[in-house]
Amino acid sequence: MLRALAVVIEADLKTLLRTGELPLMLLMLGSFQFLFFAIGSVLRKEEQLFFQLTGYGDSVLYQIAGMPILFLSIGMSWAIGQFVIELGRGGKLEQLQTTATDFRVVIAGRFIVMAIMSLLYYLAITVPFIQIRAGPEVLSHFLPALLVLMLGFVPIFLFAVVVSVVMLLARTEALIDLVSSIVYTFTGVAYPITVFPAVVQTLASLLPQTILAETVRNIVLLGVLEPARLIPFIAVALGYGVFSYLLYSKLEYSVRRGGRYEVVTE
Amino acid sequence: MRSLPSELKAFLWAFSLTNRRSTWMLVGMVSSPVWAIGIGLTFAIHSPSVITEVSQVRALALGAGYFVASSTVLWNVGNFLVQAKDEGTLHSCVLSKGRIPVMMFSRGIVSAAFTGPALAFSYAVVSSLLGFTPSVSNPLGALASFFMLHLALVALSMIVGSIFLRMRHAWIVINALQFLLPATSGMIPPDLFPSDLRPAIALSPFAHVFEVLRRAVVGSPAIPTGDPELTLTSALSVAALIAVGLLTLSITERSLRRRAF
Amino acid sequence: MSQGAFTRMEVAISARGLVKNYREGGLLRRRTEVRALDGLSFEVGYGKVFALLGPNGAGKTTTVRIISTLLLPDEGEVTVAGFNALRSPRKVRERIGVVLDPDKGHFLRLTALENLTFYGTLQGLSRSEARSRASALLGEMGLNGSENRMVEGFSKGMRARLAICRALIHDPEVLIFDEPTSGLDPISAREVRAKLRELGREGKSVLVTTHNLWEAESVSDEVAVVNRGKVVAAGPPQEVKRAFGLKWYVELEVEGRLRPEELPWMAEVAVSERGILTLKIAVDADPAELIPAIVSELRSRSLTVHSVTVREPTLEEAFVRAVSGAGR
Ligand SMILES: Nc1ncnc2c1ncn2[C@@H]1O[C@H](COP(=O)(O)OP(=O)(O)OP(=O)(O)O)[C@@H](O)[C@H]1O
Ligand SMILES: [Mg+2]
């Protein structure tokens, strides 16, 4: 089992690096982060008002600390989605079902690769930006933040699996656009979700990115980690675990019944 | 040249059918206003008082709609050459006597049927969400200036489409451009910039074209240029952009024959 | 009309001295040149089915792209249906129908009928003309049940047949097919070959590429064997075989006593268990007239002849010879 996983990870890492798409994707997200940083820095500020709304003093730091959660989530959904779609296109999904290697091992391999990449991204891009703006005193906050972030990869990964399976079942790749827009807009990565009506806020807190963004931001910028925050976080993670497992079983069942999984583009 | 109208008609017909059946377009109708909300609030939050003043909110909502429109045109038109090449339809069209400039221009025209509603819808959703009625001060002018803005975006797509054809990872550039272009030409209300940076925004031809639409919708100017001059410079910019776009594409068509499609 | 003009009209496609180098690499990688065509020439007469035959990378697709106006050669001249393919591409496009990648080139979100109608109107037909021609073609190619289905649901074979319909929509006089049967199942491939022969009978000029020797032999009036960007042999399939000095084999099954050295012209003798001998004789030309003489010679040695089989040389042998002769 572990050997299989190692083989899968090695192969996946090689192909991802060789096609160059993944490093380019990270580069692109990095430049987005730079753009938000640059534009945010020049725009007119109302710090008092912002503090009343959020409890944070600097709107630019607020966004730099939150955006990576969005990017990691989009990156994860993209990577898992692409992977599942490619498997479906080449008929490899059906093939994998008949080999000894469980499809779940292959997906887990992809997850580990993406988690490593995400950590590298966070360390190489986000940490320096925060350092530049917040000064050296936040340095000690990064270790606990990274630990929570790693914990957070699990629900974000499960969320990506749910998205991918729904994409396959609905036979449309375009859903990724809708999911990205929702994650961007309603998870409080760039502004507090308190600007929305109460119903929207409740729905938004069901997305794992919402809790993760707020928790990580709390640690990085304020040095505060309230263990109580981790409880809803773990509850949401478990919820996604069950949900993605059920969806996956449905997918497997449909594949066995001879369904074709060619996702339609255009 | 006698065949130009029938060629246009053929392309318009095919593209309006394919666009209408595209799931990206269908999903885009829902995701566009969602993106617009996110983009609008991202910039507004730096000066939260913006979202309490009516003309500021309208400018913000319209800017968010501009982002949605430019993103859609870049993907739907700018990326089309690459996509058509991959799918082999580029060959088939060319072999059936289709001309690439005509093809891309038709694609651009058809995409207005999506960008128009998407922009309007985004404007309406963002303004209403922030508690203001999404009114338009000069509807006819708004419609006309929307078409001008749309044509400018189509022209840009025709120019960059040729470049994408030669790139291995065009999607990255499109991703960056869909954001950079509107960000530097009015997507973020100029009021949000410090006053010494505002003149820089007015340098982009797209800023002028967008300003025409902004005046028609919001009513208040953001660039200190008189109405007639602004309309004239915008119209000239759009005409020049379209001309450059068509020229680029016909050069591309010829160079494709030399380098292999 | 001068004699020269008249003979030109006899030729549907003429390619003379085509040279094409592809440039690879660029900014980051070292620039290299690949010579795809190296002075390739051939002619296709009106109403003929002509096959370009060659191994992978021989330059068939490059040739087809040049002939069909999609690519400019570095050197050489191409005339198609009386027009210069390099200088008047649109005139040529009006008169040719092309299938490049059989399963590509369709709008996936249009139905088969809509696809054909679209390409027909691009070629200048009116919408209703294009529609009725499209319907007829879809029927001919066995797609009439699927004409209102979107192409995205089509199998590879259906797409290939639709591609042929697309090439025929404006009733062109010259047809160009690049490996039209690649990836098709045997039945679909047979139907496509039948269509090619039918087009030839209808008086269309057809250029088809293939690396399948048997296919070239079965559909074409003339073949050109291409290797490394050059034509290494050309002519009717029979002539190509003769030009390569290929042998016919006569196989006889006989019973009786025989010492091989008695018959020096015998190429091979094999003995089966029950005393049946299989004799193999190699000859340079069609052995039809030789057979009675051979049989009576064997009878005179009191051998019983059970059966006589004549094996024609295949193009396969010609192909292998041409390709190895060119030093691959
Ligand atoms: N776009 C291109 N860029 C660079 N080299 C190319 C390109 N297209 C073809 N080549 C090269 O030109 C040569 C001829 O290729 P071509 O595709 O014409 O061969 P072919 O006979 O059609 O082969 P196949 O049977 O594999 O289809 C090959 O060496 C190939 O690598
Ligand atoms: Mg080929």
Side-chain angles (χ1 to χ4, degrees):
Chain A
M1 181 76 174
L2 271 179
R3 269 189 72 100
L5 192 62
V7 171
V8 166
I9 291 174
E10 195 193 331
D12 206 26
L13 207 56
K14 270 191 192 149
T15 41
L16 279 176
L17 291 176
R18 203 164 292 157
T19 58
E21 297 246 315
L22 185 68
L24 281 170
M25 174 107 186
L26 294 178
L27 184 77
M28 185 184 83
L29 295 179
S31 24
F32 272 138
Q33 193 153 2
F34 170 74
L35 254 163
F36 278 101
F37 177 77
I39 294 178
S41 301
V42 299
L43 289 186
R44 199 156 55 77
K45 307 276 180 331
E46 290 166 353
E47 273 137 15
Q48 288 271 263
L49 258 171
F50 186 75
F51 183 77
Q52 281 167 26
L53 265 170
T54 61
Y56 292 88
D58 183 349
S59 53
V60 178
L61 268 178
Y62 184 93
Q63 292 188 343
I64 315 175
M67 284 291 186
I69 310 301
L70 165 76
F71 293 157
L72 301 187
S73 175
I74 290 184
M76 188 77 88
S77 295
W78 172 83
I80 304 291
Q82 281 295 311
F83 187 58
V84 172
I85 286 163
E86 242 160 62
L87 285 174
R89 263 211 199 107
K92 284 186 214 135
L93 193 58
E94 282 92 335
Q95 226 171 54
L96 269 175
Q97 298 284 335
T98 61
T99 60
T101 314
D102 193 320
F103 184 55
R104 272 163 284 205
V105 174
V106 182
I107 284 267
R110 171 57 65 104
F111 163 62
I112 292 171
V113 168
M114 282 309 292
I116 295 171
M117 290 289 166
S118 302
L119 274 184
L120 286 178
Y121 171 84
Y122 196 81
L123 286 171
I125 302 194
T126 307
V127 169
F129 275 129
I130 296 179
Q131 271 271 274
I132 291 170
R133 193 147 174 116
E137 59 268 25
V138 295
L139 209 57
S140 62
H141 303 162
F142 284 127
L143 191 66
L146 281 176
L147 289 176
V148 172
L149 196 63
M150 274 157 70
L151 191 67
F153 286 154
V154 177
I156 288 206
F157 162 71
L158 294 173
F159 177 82
V161 173
V162 171
V163 170
S164 308
V165 174
V166 170
M167 242 156 49
L168 269 182
L169 293 175
R171 293 175 133 263
T172 168
E173 224 176 300
L175 271 185
I176 193 96
D177 182 39
L178 182 61
V179 172
S180 305
S181 70
I182 290 173
V183 173
Y184 176 75
T185 302
F186 294 115
T187 58
V189 290
Y191 46 83
I193 54 171
T194 48
V195 298
F196 294 121
V199 196
V200 179
Q201 289 184 43
T202 314
L203 288 175
S205 58
L206 291 179
L207 295 168
Q209 294 86 349
T210 311
I211 308 171
L212 187 62
E214 194 45 36
T215 312
V216 171
R217 187 155 39 212
N218 250 303
I219 301 171
V220 171
L221 299 186
L222 306 177
V224 181
L225 172 57
E226 299 165 34
R229 260 185 198 286
L230 291 179
I231 295 167
F233 184 62
I234 289 167
V236 168
L238 279 176
Y240 275 90
V242 173
F243 190 38
S244 62
Y245 182 80
L246 290 178
L247 267 179
Y248 178 81
S249 308
K250 173 158 169 48
L251 176 71
E252 202 173 40
Y253 176 70
S254 317
V255 170
R256 278 226 200 89
R257 274 190 28 199
R260 274 199 325 169
Y261 286 103
E262 289 177 26
V263 174
V264 173
T265 33
E266 200 188 336
Chain B
M1 269 327 218
R2 195 179 54 88
S3 60
L4 186 61
S6 68
E7 188 180 341
L8 257 173
K9 227 174 93 188
F11 277 125
L12 290 175
W13 177 70
F15 290 148
S16 50
L17 281 180
T18 49
N19 266 3
R20 207 184 312 149
R21 293 172 189 163
S22 151
T23 37
W24 283 98
M25 291 289 171
L26 218 70
V27 171
M29 267 303 169
V30 185
S31 66
S32 293
V34 179
W35 280 118
I37 296 169
I39 288 286
L41 287 176
T42 298
F43 300 113
I45 205 69
H46 294 291
S47 307
S49 69
V50 162
I51 58 177
T52 55
E53 205 272 307
V54 59
S55 72
Q56 302 255 37
V57 165
R58 288 200 179 135
L60 193 72
L62 191 67
Y66 177 29
F67 165 76
V68 163
S70 72
S71 157
T72 311
V73 174
L74 278 169
W75 282 109
N76 192 244
V77 184
N79 195 37
F80 182 67
L81 266 185
V82 176
Q83 193 194 331
K85 189 186 169 205
D86 288 347
E87 288 173 359
T89 42
L90 184 62
H91 285 161
S92 304
C93 288
V94 166
L95 283 169
S96 303
K97 280 174 62 195
R99 281 166 287 198
I100 292 179
V102 183
M103 178 179 91
M104 290 289 279
F105 188 73
S106 323
R107 183 86 185 172
I109 297 294
V110 169
S111 76
F114 177 84
T115 47
L119 198 161
F121 198 26
S122 299
Y123 174 69
V125 167
V126 177
S127 334
S128 328
L129 185 86
L130 296 176
F132 295 96
T133 46
S135 61
V136 174
S137 65
N138 173 5
L140 258 162
L143 197 65
S145 47
F146 161 72
F147 278 111
M148 227 162 65
L149 178 66
H150 179 78
L151 274 180
L153 292 171
V154 168
L156 179 79
S157 297
M158 296 201 289
I159 298 167
V160 290
S162 308
I163 302 168
F164 296 157
L165 210 49
R166 299 212 175 167
M167 295 178 57
R168 271 215 303 162
H169 303 285
W171 58 273
I172 295 197
V173 184
I174 302 177
N175 259 312
L177 204 60
Q178 67 178 352
F179 188 81
L180 271 176
L181 173 80
T184 53
S185 55
M187 166 177 91
I188 307 168
D191 297 346
L192 279 177
F193 284 97
S195 49
D196 44 338
L197 265 179
R198 277 176 220 168
I201 299 292
L203 289 176
S204 160
F206 284 89
H208 290 256
V209 183
F210 180 66
E211 174 76 7
V212 181
L213 177 64
R214 192 187 136 106
R215 284 182 195 183
V217 174
V218 182
S220 62
I223 298 178
T225 312
D227 274 352
E229 294 100 297
L230 185 75
T231 313
L232 188 69
T233 51
S234 311
L236 286 178
S237 308
V238 173
L241 279 168
I242 288 282
V244 173
L246 292 173
L247 189 71
T248 314
L249 286 173
S250 61
I251 292 171
T252 300
E253 182 158 8
R254 232 169 300 154
S255 93
L256 276 175
R257 276 187 86 199
R258 228 170 305 117
R259 293 166 46 103
F261 265 81
Chain C
M1 193 185 276
S2 77
Q3 183 66 30
F6 184 72
T7 43
R8 274 179 78 89
M9 292 297 287
E10 292 290 285
V11 180
I13 300 175
S14 134
R16 282 185 304 279
L18 294 183
V19 174
K20 181 72 193 177
N21 293 314
Y22 286 111
R23 270 167 286 279
E24 281 182 328
L27 223 55
L28 299 178
R29 281 172 301 148
R30 200 167 53 89
R31 264 187 182 257
T32 48
E33 289 221 336
V34 181
R35 174 151 287 213
L37 297 184
D38 189 13
L40 182 132
S41 306
F42 67 93
E43 276 185 358
V44 180
Y46 270 112
K48 289 281 191 307
V49 180
F50 187 98
L52 275 181
L53 177 63
N56 290 130
K60 305 180 296 287
T61 301
T62 305
T63 309
V64 162
R65 281 168 181 258
I66 292 174
I67 306 272
S68 53
T69 78
L70 286 176
L71 186 63
L72 290 170
D74 298 343
E75 286 169 35
E77 284 300 324
V78 180
T79 315
V80 180
F83 290 92
N84 186 316
L86 313 182
R87 278 185 286 280
S88 320
R90 286 170 64 78
K91 291 240 165 52
V92 169
R93 284 170 198 165
E94 221 167 279
R95 290 163 178 84
I96 59 175
V98 184
V99 175
L100 273 176
D101 296 297
D103 57 337
K104 282 184 160 188
H106 311 297
F107 286 93
L108 301 182
R109 290 284 166 104
L110 294 185
T111 65
L113 191 63
E114 286 164 349
N115 262 291
L116 292 181
T117 309
F118 165 66
Y119 287 114
T121 47
L122 263 193
Q123 279 285 9
L125 304 180
S126 73
R127 179 84 50 90
S128 60
E129 253 178 319
R131 265 184 83 91
S132 63
R133 232 190 110 63
S135 276
L137 280 169
L138 287 167
E140 271 175 44
M141 291 306 291
L143 286 172
N144 32 4
S146 308
E147 60 180 20
N148 289 320
R149 275 176 62 196
M150 279 192 235
V151 177
E152 70 184 8
F154 277 25
S155 71
K156 212 169 171 176
M158 292 165 81
R159 289 178 193 208
R161 276 181 276 171
L162 183 60
I164 294 177
C165 295
R166 188 182 65 223
L168 294 171
I169 187 76
H170 55 302
D171 196 20
E173 44 192 303
V174 176
L175 288 150
I176 301 171
F177 298 99
D178 191 19
E179 307 212 16
T181 57
S182 75
L184 299 192
D185 67 39
I187 297 167
S188 305
R190 191 170 64 196
E191 283 167 9
V192 169
R193 281 192 293 271
K195 187 72 195 174
L196 294 184
R197 282 189 293 261
E198 188 192 313
L199 288 167
R201 278 197 302 275
E202 283 171 10
K204 306 274 186 209
S205 316
V206 183
L207 172 67
V208 55
T209 74
T210 173
H211 51 237
N212 183 336
L213 312 143
W214 172 80
E215 180 169 289
E217 205 169 0
S218 76
V219 299
S220 60
D221 304 311
E222 273 187 64
V223 298
V225 181
V226 181
N227 190 39
R228 295 183 152 197
K230 273 191 188 124
V231 172
V232 288
Q238 301 297 324
E239 263 178 41
V240 170
K241 289 178 199 171
R242 201 168 316 132
F244 278 101
L246 296 171
K247 307 278 186 196
W248 272 254
Y249 286 96
V250 183
E251 263 180 42
L252 304 113
E253 287 187 334
V254 301
E255 211 174 331
R257 230 176 253 280
L258 174 75
R259 266 172 294 145
E261 54 275 21
E262 282 174 31
L263 302 169
W265 36 269
M266 199 74 68
E268 237 176 78
V269 180
V271 189
S272 78
E273 279 169 34
R274 287 168 54 247
I276 308 263
L277 302 172
T278 307
L279 312 179
K280 227 180 192 179
I281 303 159
V283 284
D284 289 331
D286 195 337
E289 289 120 63
L290 290 175
I291 289 171
I294 296 172
V295 172
S296 60
E297 168 81 25
L298 292 173
R299 287 219 176 110
S300 73
R301 288 165 199 271
S302 54
L303 293 161
T304 320
V305 178
H306 287 306
S307 71
V308 180
T309 324
V310 176
R311 266 187 225 298
E312 279 192 44
T314 58
L315 210 45
E316 179 125 15
E317 293 169 62
F319 185 66
V320 171
R321 280 196 186 209
V323 167
S324 54
R328 244 177 95 84

